[in-house]
């Protein structure tokens, strides 16, 4: 060391009685990092989970309506508090939906049958009717309103089957 001191106001000037030690700064940064990685996603995650469940449910209902019209078959929609499941009647014009006997509707692009949307934990579905169907023209068995917790309702129009 040549005995020179940093001038006052310099970034490297140290007076010994001001500021925090490096160890204190590192400790605070580590604590904040742990909170950011563990705690914050739990607060924000539910909003993303709700939005994902909403979009997947909306997509499943639109797919059911379009598939009914395209395949000229009745597509049945079954709701529980946490799932939406799609099936279809293999007989032309048959509207007697039954979760146990319906053929499984394959999701778009292939994949495991039946087409099912399962909501993430803490996200629930509310519905007008636990089961309904789209007939071979894509019309629903009745108007439906489906709610995904924390989101605006999804409506299925009675006459046209339009899902919005």
């Amino acid at each position: 060391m040549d005995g020179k001191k940093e001038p006052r106001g310099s970034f490297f000037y140290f007076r010994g009685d001001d500021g925090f030690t490096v160890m204190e700064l590192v400790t605070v940064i580590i604590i904040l990092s742990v909170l950011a990685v563990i705690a914050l996603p739990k607060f924000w995650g539910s909003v993303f989970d709700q939005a994902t469940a909403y979009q997947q449910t909306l997509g499943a209902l639109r797919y059911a309506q379009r598939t009914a019209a395209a395949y000229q078959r009745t597509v049945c929609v079954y709701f529980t508090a946490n799932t939406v499941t799609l099936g279809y009647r293999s007989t032309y014009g048959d509207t007697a939906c039954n979760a146990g006997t319906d053929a499984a509707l394959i999701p778009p692009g292939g994949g495991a049958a039946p087409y099912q949307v399962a909501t993430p934990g803490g996200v629930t579905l509310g519905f007008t009717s636990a089961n309904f169907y789209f007939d071979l023209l894509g019309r629903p068995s009745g108007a439906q309103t489906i709610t995904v917790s924390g989101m605006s309702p999804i409506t299925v129009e009675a006459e046209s089957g339009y899902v919005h």
Side-chain angles (χ1 to χ4, degrees):
M1 192 138 182
D2 61 358
K4 291 184 180 178
K5 291 187 174 183
E6 288 290 328
R8 259 186 187 290
S10 168
F11 178 76
F12 296 105
Y13 179 76
F14 179 69
R15 250 193 309 167
D17 60 347
D18 291 280
F20 300 101
T21 65
V22 171
M23 190 56 137
E24 291 170 332
L25 291 173
V26 168
T27 303
V28 169
I29 290 172
I30 289 172
I31 291 171
L32 290 175
S33 299
V34 168
L35 284 174
V37 168
I38 294 173
L40 293 179
K42 292 186 187 225
F43 293 116
W44 291 329
S46 64
V47 173
F48 294 119
D49 290 345
Q50 290 169 348
T52 299
Y54 178 86
Q55 290 298 325
Q56 288 179 344
T57 302
L58 185 67
L61 292 171
R62 287 179 176 165
Y63 179 68
Q65 194 263 345
R66 289 187 177 126
T67 301
Y71 291 165
Q72 294 288 293
R73 295 289 183 265
T74 300
V75 175
C76 305
V77 181
Y78 301 102
F79 288 101
T80 67
N82 298 356
T83 62
V84 178
T85 306
L86 304 180
Y88 71 95
R89 301 302 295 169
S90 56
T91 306
Y92 181 82
D94 183 5
T95 59
C97 291
N98 183 343
T101 60
D102 287 344
L105 187 61
I106 306 292
Y115 188 147
Q116 187 173 59
V117 173
T119 62
V123 179
T124 57
L125 298 170
F127 35 85
T128 307
S129 173
N131 304 327
F132 76 98
Y133 64 85
F134 290 99
D135 68 11
L136 53 98
L137 297 176
R139 296 176 304 202
S141 54
Q144 299 293 322
T145 302
I146 299 96
T147 56
V148 177
S149 56
M151 303 298 288
S152 58
I154 298 171
T155 304
V156 179
E157 299 294 337
E159 289 298 315
S160 64
Y162 177 62
V163 180
H164 60 95

